[in-house]
């Protein structure tokens, strides 16, 4: 019996490592499965987050361009069709765009921050306030929203455009509804002046945005942020609209410009010596410059005082 007991114990001892090995392997498989599930959850969460921000930027930019360019359309088409100034002038456009930005920020601000402008998104990424991987997502939403808004506006004012374009084809009389163009010929205003116009205007926009949203500065209530930034845009339009209309937003200018080309306007990308690249690219430079100036001249010093 002792021998039998010894054999039983030996058998038990011999089997134990196998059981342990199986347990360790099972635990390894379970751990690997859990890691994969967690990674899948992270991907789903990240994808859902990206989709949220994409949709918010698309709808916010759609609203900005629809109401902003709508103000332009009402002034241009209303005055031309009525042959009077009943619908106002550039002041109406400036206020209209400021209010349009306010509404766009109210719609998207709680989800994406309400950038509604590729230059703003790039500047925020440079400052570390936005992950670089999110930049293309924001840009895609902004350009798509602006294009859809231009398409809706084109349909909304199709009849009024026909009243103004009596020749039956689209001309420069109405192309300014969708995109910005120099008010003077390029023989009178240099490319350098037009470039500086876009850089300066966008730099001021970023300074305004960062100042308004800086909790260490004036501590403006979040409910007042949209209207304050909107008034800032209005101020920029009223001060720097002469040279080229103060687009200072690549999505707001490029996407409707593309729509106007597809709709039948002949020279949206050729007018004024193909100046379209200036309001498309240079606001990015101005945005980063303005963000850097605020950070160096104001933001850093506020933190040092605290």
């Amino acid at each position: 019996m002792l021998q039998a007991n010894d054999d039983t114990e030996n058998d038990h001892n011999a089997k134990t490592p196998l059981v342990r090995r199986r347990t360790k392997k099972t635990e390894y498989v379970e751990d690997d499965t859990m890691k994969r599930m967690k990674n899948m959850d992270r991907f789903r969460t990240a994808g859902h987050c990206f989709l949220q921000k994409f949709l918010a930027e698309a709808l916010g930019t759609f609203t900005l361009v629809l109401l902003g360019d709508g103000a332009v359309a009402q002034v241009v088409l209303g005055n031309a069709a009525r042959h009077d100034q009943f619908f106002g002038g550039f002041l109406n456009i400036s206020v209209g765009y400021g209010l349009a930005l306010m509404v766009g920020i109210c719609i998207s601000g709680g989800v994406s921050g309400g950038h509604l402008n590729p230059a703003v998104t790039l500047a925020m990424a440079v400052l570390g306030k936005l992950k670089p991987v999110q930049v293309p997502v924001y840009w895609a939403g902004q350009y798509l929203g602006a294009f859809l808004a231009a398409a809706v506006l084109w349909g909304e004012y199709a009849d009024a455009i026909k009243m103004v374009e009596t020749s039956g084809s689209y001309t420069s009389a109405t192309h300014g509804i969708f995109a910005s163009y120099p008010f003077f010929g390029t023989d009178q205003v240099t490319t350098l002046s037009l470039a500086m116009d876009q850089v300066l205007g966008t730099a001021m926009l970023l300074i305004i945005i960062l100042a308004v949203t800086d909790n260490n500065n004036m501590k403006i209530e979040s409910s007042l942020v949209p209207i304050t930034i909107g008034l800032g845009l209005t101020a920029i339009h009223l001060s720097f609209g002469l040279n080229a209309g103060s687009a200072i937003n690549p999505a707001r200018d490029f996407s409707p410009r593309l729509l106007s080309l597809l709709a039948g306007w002949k020279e949206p990308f050729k007018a004024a010596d193909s100046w379209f690249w200036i309001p498309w690219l240079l606001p990015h430079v101005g945005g980063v410059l303005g963000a850097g100036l605020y950070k160096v001249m104001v933001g850093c010093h506020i933190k040092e005082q605290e």
Side-chain angles (χ1 to χ4, degrees), residues 28-38:
Y28 174 79
V29 172
E30 290 177 352
D31 290 343
D32 186 58
T33 303
M34 289 297 295
K35 288 179 181 179
R36 291 181 180 179
M37 291 178 66
K38 288 180 179 179

Side-chain angles (χ1 to χ4, degrees), residues 110-182:
V111 178
S112 65
H115 293 183
L116 317 184
N117 186 332
V120 174
T121 297
L122 179 62
M124 294 303 173
V126 170
L127 291 178
K129 296 178 179 290
L130 184 74
K131 294 179 180 179
V133 70
Q134 293 179 321
V135 171
V137 177
Y138 275 65
W139 283 0
Q142 291 156 1
Y143 279 103
L144 177 62
F147 184 87
L148 293 177
V152 171
L153 191 67
W154 176 44
E156 172 67 18
Y157 282 115
D159 293 335
I161 292 173
K162 289 180 181 179
M163 291 183 215
V164 175
E165 299 287 12
T166 54
S167 64
S169 59
Y170 295 146
T171 67
S172 59
T174 54
H175 68 184
I177 294 172
F178 299 98
S180 61
Y181 296 89

Side-chain angles (χ1 to χ4, degrees), residues 14-294:
K15 292 178 180 178
T16 300
L18 293 175
V19 174
R20 287 175 181 170
R21 282 198 293 273
R22 289 193 190 100
T23 302
K24 289 180 179 179
K25 185 175 181 180
T26 303
E27 290 176 353
Y28 174 79
V29 172
E30 290 177 352
D31 290 343
D32 186 58
T33 303
M34 289 297 295
K35 288 179 181 179
R36 291 181 180 179
M37 291 178 66
K38 288 180 179 179
N39 288 335
M40 290 177 65
D41 288 339
R42 289 195 192 100
F43 288 137
R44 289 195 193 100
T45 302
H48 182 63
C49 179
F50 286 170
L51 179 61
Q52 283 182 322
K53 296 182 185 302
F54 168 81
L55 294 175
E57 285 295 305
L59 183 58
T61 310
F62 174 89
T63 304
L64 166 66
V65 175
L66 182 68
L67 299 181
D69 280 2
V72 178
Q74 184 163 270
V75 170
V76 171
L77 299 175
N79 292 342
R82 289 170 54 94
H83 304 290
D84 59 23
Q85 297 295 313
F86 178 81
F87 286 103
F90 193 71
L91 176 61
N92 298 66
I93 295 172
S94 300
V95 175
Y97 243 110
L99 294 176
L101 180 58
M102 177 198 72
V103 176
I105 294 173
C106 287
I107 290 172
S108 60
V111 178
S112 65
H115 293 183
L116 317 184
N117 186 332
V120 174
T121 297
L122 179 62
M124 294 303 173
V126 170
L127 291 178
K129 296 178 179 290
L130 184 74
K131 294 179 180 179
V133 70
Q134 293 179 321
V135 171
V137 177
Y138 275 65
W139 283 0
Q142 291 156 1
Y143 279 103
L144 177 62
F147 184 87
L148 293 177
V152 171
L153 191 67
W154 176 44
E156 172 67 18
Y157 282 115
D159 293 335
I161 292 173
K162 289 180 181 179
M163 291 183 215
V164 175
E165 299 287 12
T166 54
S167 64
S169 59
Y170 295 146
T171 67
S172 59
T174 54
H175 68 184
I177 294 172
F178 299 98
S180 61
Y181 296 89
F183 282 105
F184 307 106
T186 51
D187 58 329
Q188 297 175 295
V189 178
T190 65
T191 301
L192 178 60
S193 295
L194 295 174
M196 288 180 61
D197 177 87
Q198 294 299 303
V199 171
L200 178 60
T202 315
M204 288 304 306
L205 177 63
L206 263 296
I207 290 173
I208 292 168
I209 291 172
L210 291 174
V212 170
T213 57
D214 189 349
N215 291 328
N216 295 321
N217 198 337
M218 293 296 293
K219 296 180 175 59
I220 295 175
E221 294 290 336
S222 61
S223 59
L224 295 177
V225 167
I227 184 63
T228 308
I229 295 176
L231 289 174
L233 179 64
T234 295
I236 293 170
H237 274 70
L238 291 175
S239 300
F240 302 116
L242 177 61
N243 285 337
S246 190
I248 61 173
N249 184 334
R252 166 261 179 274
D253 191 86
F254 185 85
S255 290
R257 189 183 299 273
L258 178 61
L259 183 280
S260 67
L261 175 67
L262 298 176
W265 277 267
K266 301 301 182 182
E267 298 186 346
F269 289 92
K270 295 179 181 179
D273 295 333
S274 300
W275 104 289
F276 77 92
W277 64 271
I278 294 178
W280 182 31
L281 299 179
L282 291 185
H284 297 92
V285 178
V288 174
L289 178 61
L293 283 173
Y294 180 84

